[in-house]
């Protein structure tokens, strides 16, 4: 580990908060929850019925009220969202304007028959109508489920069907790298066979011609006569706020279900501690709202704090690699939160580009989603932050709801170590353990677990309590299993080493191997497939696939590769496109028939193979190995793009 530390902080030294949290985590969170606005107070801070946690039981509140209504006396004219379109369009929405839009759209949803507890799928690009839709659902107690607009119609269909959404909200199209992605036609295809969907609302972003079906309504038409007043529902603290589908080790995506009171409490606290948010800040998180980072730190946390934030529609390197620096300069951004993948890409283009922009307004930098290489951390610190901004490397997951490990410049000044997410936030109990659940020694690799319930924890997996128990709470008796490897150093700092399971992190996006494999085998000529991730300079990890064809398939391999890529793009989406595809005649499997992915990975990485005693057929190893070596020699043949 890099032992060099960076002593940069913002001068905050509130060590009391940590002390309080150490003595009693329940009364600690009890105090934190009082920062929100409640319609009625709770009677019990935590109802822990392992592994189900319910926070602030008996309390009632509303997420949209906490994000919007509470600011109307003090910040009604303050910009909430400074929106920049990929094509240079811009819009500003003040806290008052945002509230008006949300009330109108809440009334629209009500007029279409939605009731508390119903589900709505939102498939929108990064336009203000996306947070407006989410906050409107929250206002009337409807559970939103946002699907990233880069997912395919098949992936969208699966999510609408699993959540049994009554309404789908989409746009005619969205801009991506200068061209229009036709979102409405993806929805048309997705809902063809779904009876649950009663209405589709189409926001007119691009004004491209679209085909209107009987269930379709235009956003502008519905909003024309909508009333501007809609009282927020008084919802119980554990009322579900949203479902967000994420990939796991099994085939189907899991619907992570988040509640209201606990989730918002963790967001409120972490936004204050980690980002040190002030009224004068301009916050810019580059995440798409389709992922959890966007839900928590583009929509709910900044708005609860009455912050001004930049929301950007398009690709971070469009029309060129300086786009982010241009936005920071233009909007005088003070806090910037992005991914290691984006930073690695920017870094490759050198210092001259960021140096030619005025980045002097920046005072705090953050990263999330995957491990950050120490040299990238240092580049971020020096070239972007000019050695004056603390960097917060924030570890968390869709399931944890909010940040769990991070430096907290808004609370305390601690030495920073490039590549380490440092320490747990106050009030959570995180450890690194071995297979048996015992704490590992200092600087020893183990599994990252969470040992006590925390406010932002998922309520369950949508419609599947058993799976929730099995996935997160069965490996260890009383701990939440995160699926990550980590070590803890002599100062108690955590270093995340990546996934311990069959989940891939490609450009920070979470992709399940099983989903990928099933879309590959849906190709008619394919008998079997196995995928794994290998390290990549920019994306952190890329996907490679090993494919066994059905007998007597004589097709040209290049043609087959193209078709397989097409299957993946249709089945999951373009983010899951394999980088390389290898054809082999069998896959290395254990005697019980499980594919030995670890082995594929070692071969692909040119590593020593290790123990193969559980292997069913040793020949598969040498075959995969030689296929790999052959193909590596003529690397261009394996490339899919
Ligand atoms: C997985 C969760 C956290 C919101 C966005 C991703 C990896 C996340 C870090 C970090 C190293 C990280 C882990 C985790 N991860 N943050 N700071 N350092 N790895 O949420 O899609 O649910 O993915 O992302 O592997 O388990 P997600």
């Amino acid at each position: 580990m890099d032992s060099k530390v960076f002593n940069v902080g913002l001068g905050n030294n509130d060590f009391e908060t940590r002390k309080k949290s150490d003595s009693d985590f329940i009364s600690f969170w009890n105090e934190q929850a009082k920062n929100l606005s409640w319609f009625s107070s709770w009677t019990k801070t935590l109802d822990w019925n392992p592994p189900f946690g319910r926070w602030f039981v008996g309390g009632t509140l509303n997420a949209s009220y906490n994000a919007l209504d509470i600011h109307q006396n003090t910040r009604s004219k303050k910009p909430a969202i400074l929106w920049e379109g990929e094509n240079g369009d811009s819009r500003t929405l003040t806290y008052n304007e945002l509230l008006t839009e949300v009330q109108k759209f809440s009334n629209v949803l009500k007029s279409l028959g939605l009731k508390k507890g119903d589900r709505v799928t939102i498939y929108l690009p990064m336009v203000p109508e996306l947070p407006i839709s989410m906050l409107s659902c929250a206002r009337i107690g409807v559970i939103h489920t946002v699907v990233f607009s880069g997912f395919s119609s098949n992936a969208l269909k699966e999510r609408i069907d699993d959540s049994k959404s009554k309404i789908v909200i989409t746009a005619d199209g969205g801009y991506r790298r200068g061209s229009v992605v036709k979102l409405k036609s993806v929805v048309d295809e997705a809902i063809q066979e779904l009876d649950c969907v009663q209405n589709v609302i189409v926001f007119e972003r691009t004004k491209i011609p679209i085909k209107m079906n009987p269930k379709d309504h235009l956003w502008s038409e519905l909003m024309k006569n909508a009333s501007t007043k809609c009282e927020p529902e008084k919802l119980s603290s554990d009322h579900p706020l949203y479902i967000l589908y994420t990939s796991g080790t099994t085939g189907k995506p899991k619907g992570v279900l988040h509640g209201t009171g606990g989730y918002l409490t963790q967001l409120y606290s972490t936004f204050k501690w980690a980002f040190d948010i002030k009224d004068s800040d301009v916050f810019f998180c580059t995440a798409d709202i389709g992922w959890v980072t966007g839900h928590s730190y583009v929509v709910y946390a900044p708005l609860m704090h009455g912050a001004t934030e930049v929301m950007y529609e398009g690709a971070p390197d469009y029309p060129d690699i300086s786009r982010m620096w241009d936005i920071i300069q233009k909007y005088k951004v003070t806090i910037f939160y992005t991914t290691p993948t984006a930073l690695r890409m920017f870094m490759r283009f050198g210092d001259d580009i960021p140096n030619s922009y005025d980045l002097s307004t920046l005072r705090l930098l953050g990263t999330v989603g995957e491990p950050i290489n120490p040299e990238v951390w240092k580049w971020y610190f020096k070239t972007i932050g000019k050695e004056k901004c603390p960097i917060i490397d924030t570890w968390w997951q869709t399931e944890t709801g909010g940040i769990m490990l991070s430096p907290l410049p808004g609370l305390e000044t601690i030495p920073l170590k490039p590549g380490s997410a440092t320490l747990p936030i106050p009030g959570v109990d995180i450890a690194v353990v071995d297979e048996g659940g015992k704490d590992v020694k200092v600087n020893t690799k183990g599994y990252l677990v969470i040992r006590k319930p925390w406010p932002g924890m998922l309520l369950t997996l949508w419609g599947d309590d058993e799976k929730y128990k099995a996935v997160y709470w069965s490996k260890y008796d009383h701990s939440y299993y995160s699926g990550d490897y980590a070590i803890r150093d002599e100062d108690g700092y955590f270093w995340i080493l990546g996934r311990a399971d069959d989940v891939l992190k490609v450009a920070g996006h979470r992709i399940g191997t099983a989903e990928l494999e099933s879309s590959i085998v849906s190709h008619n000529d394919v008998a079997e497939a196995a995928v794994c991730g290998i390290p990549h300079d920019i994306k952190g990890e890329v996907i490679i696939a090993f494919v066994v064809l059905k007998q007597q398939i004589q097709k040209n391999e290049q043609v087959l590769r193209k078709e397989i890529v097409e299957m993946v793009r249709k089945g999951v989406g373009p983010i899951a496109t394999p980088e390389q595809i290898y054809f082999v005649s069998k896959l290395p499997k254990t005697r019980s028939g499980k594919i030995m992915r670890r082995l594929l990975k070692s071969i692909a990485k040119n590593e020593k193979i290790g123990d193969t005693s559980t292997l069913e057929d040793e020949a598969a190893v040498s075959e995969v190995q030689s296929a790999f070596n052959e193909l590596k020699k003529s690397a261009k043949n394996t490339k899919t793009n």
Side-chain angles (χ1 to χ4, degrees):
M1 293 295 129
D2 194 313
S3 57
K4 185 162 166 45
V5 298
F6 290 77
N7 284 303
V8 60
L10 300 166
N12 290 308
N13 285 304
D14 165 14
F15 295 111
E16 276 307 299
T17 302
R18 230 176 237 290
K19 249 192 238 149
K20 275 190 210 141
S21 75
D22 287 343
S23 62
D24 177 357
F25 81 103
I26 295 178
S27 51
F28 173 76
W29 286 115
N30 188 64
E31 286 309 299
Q32 300 305 315
K34 293 178 186 165
N35 289 320
L36 310 186
S37 293
W38 296 81
F39 297 126
S40 60
S41 189
W42 53 98
T43 47
K44 194 171 183 193
T45 305
L46 171 63
D47 179 10
W48 182 225
N49 176 18
F52 299 94
R54 297 293 178 264
W55 288 83
F56 316 117
V57 181
T60 59
L61 79 169
N62 184 288
S64 95
Y65 184 88
N66 272 277
L68 301 172
D69 301 60
I70 60 159
H71 306 303
Q72 298 307 317
N73 288 333
T74 47
R75 304 186 177 98
S76 70
K77 298 222 162 61
K78 182 179 173 179
I81 296 176
L82 305 169
W83 178 81
E84 168 140 324
E86 194 188 68
N87 59 0
D89 289 355
S90 65
R91 281 163 72 186
T92 298
L93 281 117
T94 64
Y95 271 91
N96 184 255
E97 288 163 342
L98 197 53
L99 176 60
T100 305
E101 293 302 296
V102 166
Q103 295 193 88
K104 283 170 74 176
F105 197 63
S106 300
N107 286 325
V108 166
L109 294 178
K110 274 189 183 170
S111 72
L112 293 173
L114 283 189
K115 301 249 156 9
K116 188 169 127 181
D118 285 344
R119 275 82 58 206
V120 162
T121 294
I122 305 175
Y123 187 68
L124 280 172
M126 283 287 282
V127 289
E129 282 63 27
L130 174 48
I132 290 169
S133 298
M134 293 160 77
L135 292 161
S136 302
C137 289
R139 197 164 188 87
I140 61 171
V142 162
I143 305 167
H144 59 70
T145 163
V146 179
V147 178
F148 172 57
S149 61
F151 275 121
S152 68
S153 66
N154 187 54
L156 176 63
K157 175 184 177 180
E158 218 173 11
R159 287 156 174 78
I160 298 171
D161 191 27
D162 189 76
S163 61
K164 294 280 175 281
S165 290
K166 286 190 178 164
I167 289 185
V168 178
I169 304 170
T170 189
D172 47 5
Y175 290 103
R176 194 75 187 172
R177 291 183 204 286
S179 42
V180 172
V181 184
K182 294 179 180 156
L183 298 176
K184 164 72 164 68
S185 38
V186 180
V187 171
D188 288 346
E189 205 182 318
I191 65 169
Q192 253 168 24
E193 294 154 16
L194 296 181
D195 296 332
C196 57
V197 178
Q198 296 164 357
N199 293 286
V200 176
I201 303 176
V202 189
F203 173 68
E204 305 105 297
R205 163 69 185 119
T206 61
K207 316 261 184 330
I208 55 164
I210 48 167
K211 182 172 163 278
M212 293 294 279
N213 300 317
K215 290 177 182 177
D216 300 345
H217 312 266
L218 289 178
W219 178 288
S220 61
E221 290 293 322
L222 293 172
M223 288 289 267
K224 230 188 247 163
N225 299 314
S227 147
T228 56
K229 279 279 161 288
C230 174
E231 284 303 311
E233 284 279 331
K234 297 183 170 65
L235 302 169
S236 66
S237 177
D238 65 352
H239 184 76
L241 180 60
Y242 66 80
I243 304 169
L244 183 55
Y245 287 89
T246 188
S247 298
T249 48
T250 52
K252 265 182 57 178
K254 303 172 294 187
V256 169
L257 187 69
H258 278 295
T260 308
Y263 172 74
L264 294 181
T265 297
Q266 186 162 339
L267 293 192
Y268 186 94
S269 303
T270 51
F271 203 58
K272 188 170 64 168
W273 299 332
F275 293 100
D276 185 45
I277 193 72
K278 302 269 193 288
D279 226 357
S280 52
D281 277 315
V282 179
F283 177 75
F284 179 23
C285 168
T286 64
D288 192 290
I289 293 174
W291 309 102
V292 76
T293 308
H295 279 64
S296 296
Y297 298 103
V298 177
V299 181
Y300 292 107
L303 297 179
M304 269 198 290
H305 278 272
T308 293
E309 66 177 326
V310 174
M311 180 178 172
Y312 170 62
E313 178 186 40
D317 56 348
Y318 189 87
D320 60 50
I321 197 74
S322 67
R323 188 65 186 263
M324 294 294 104
W325 321 132
D326 185 59
I327 290 178
I328 291 172
Q329 172 178 287
K330 179 168 167 192
Y331 295 97
K332 301 187 167 38
V333 171
T334 60
I335 305 173
F336 183 57
Y337 191 31
T338 193
T339 61
T341 289
L343 293 170
R344 286 189 290 258
M345 177 173 75
F346 301 141
M347 187 174 146
R348 208 173 54 157
F349 288 86
D351 295 3
D352 290 353
I353 297 166
N355 282 347
S356 63
Y357 286 83
D358 179 5
L359 307 179
S360 64
T361 49
L362 289 172
R363 67 180 194 91
L364 196 153
L365 303 171
T367 115
V368 63
E370 29 167 354
I372 181 164
N373 335 44
E375 59 290 4
V376 179
W377 192 104
K378 287 179 205 157
W379 180 81
Y380 197 22
F381 184 71
K382 195 161 166 254
T383 307
I384 307 306
K386 317 292 180 205
E387 302 188 1
K388 67 177 173 59
C389 306
I391 293 186
I392 57 166
D393 176 355
T394 62
W395 177 87
W396 55 294
Q397 308 179 296
T398 305
E399 293 86 345
T400 69
I403 293 170
M404 297 297 278
L405 291 171
S406 174
L408 303 171
L411 195 65
E412 63 201 9
T413 300
I414 59 161
L416 303 174
K417 301 187 191 185
S420 168
T422 73
L423 304 173
I425 62 165
V428 302
D429 185 358
I430 302 182
V432 182
V433 301
D434 62 18
E435 282 292 340
K438 286 219 174 63
D439 280 71
V440 295
K441 291 205 194 81
V442 162
N443 286 324
T444 310
K445 183 170 167 178
Y447 300 101
L448 192 76
V449 298
I450 308 171
R451 289 207 274 224
K452 286 196 187 96
W454 68 100
M457 68 189 290
L458 66 168
L459 299 177
T460 186
L461 291 177
W462 178 251
D464 205 342
D465 287 349
E466 289 311 310
K467 193 164 173 189
Y468 165 71
K469 289 186 203 163
V471 173
Y472 306 106
W473 301 92
S474 65
K475 187 169 170 76
Y476 299 110
D477 278 348
H478 302 288
S479 296
Y480 166 91
Y481 173 62
S482 71
D484 278 330
Y485 282 127
I487 65 165
R488 209 170 178 183
D489 71 13
E490 56 287 352
D491 297 320
Y493 280 37
F494 287 82
W495 300 75
I496 307 296
L497 305 176
R499 299 290 307 192
D501 54 10
D502 290 337
V503 170
L504 308 178
K505 272 277 168 172
V506 179
H509 300 318
R510 186 161 154 182
I511 299 168
T513 44
E515 282 161 77
L516 262 165
E517 287 163 3
S518 69
S519 64
I520 297 176
V521 298
S522 60
H523 188 292
N524 262 335
D525 301 336
V526 174
E528 272 188 301
V531 300
C532 68
I534 56 165
H536 184 267
D537 287 349
I538 306 278
K539 295 180 180 175
E541 190 167 49
V542 288
I543 299 164
I544 64 170
F546 294 89
V547 174
V548 180
L549 295 175
K550 286 181 186 159
Q551 302 258 305
Q552 266 117 34
I553 300 294
Q554 303 285 338
K555 260 196 205 159
N556 173 297
E557 289 195 353
Q558 235 11 41
V559 172
L560 271 168
R561 274 192 193 98
K562 275 219 176 79
E563 291 174 0
I564 290 170
V565 165
E566 208 33 53
M567 295 308 286
V568 172
R569 293 172 75 96
K570 274 189 107 161
V572 186
I575 51 165
T577 306
E579 179 91 355
Q580 294 162 25
I581 296 174
Y582 298 102
F583 295 105
V584 292
S585 68
K586 52 178 161 301
L587 297 169
K589 287 189 192 157
T590 62
R591 286 188 196 100
S592 58
K594 260 187 90 177
I595 294 166
M596 291 185 80
R597 220 170 257 110
R598 168 181 67 80
L599 221 139
L600 292 175
K601 207 169 167 154
S602 307
I603 294 170
K605 283 165 73 182
N606 252 335
E607 280 175 1
K608 276 219 341 251
I609 283 172
D611 183 19
T612 55
S613 57
T614 54
L615 203 64
E616 188 215 31
D617 179 359
E618 296 262 357
V621 180
S622 45
E623 212 227 322
V624 173
Q625 205 158 22
S626 60
F628 191 78
N629 290 337
E630 273 303 301
L631 289 162
K632 224 176 194 176
K633 274 188 238 150
S634 52
K636 61 181 192 308
N637 291 335
T638 63
K639 287 268 183 225
T640 54
N641 47 16

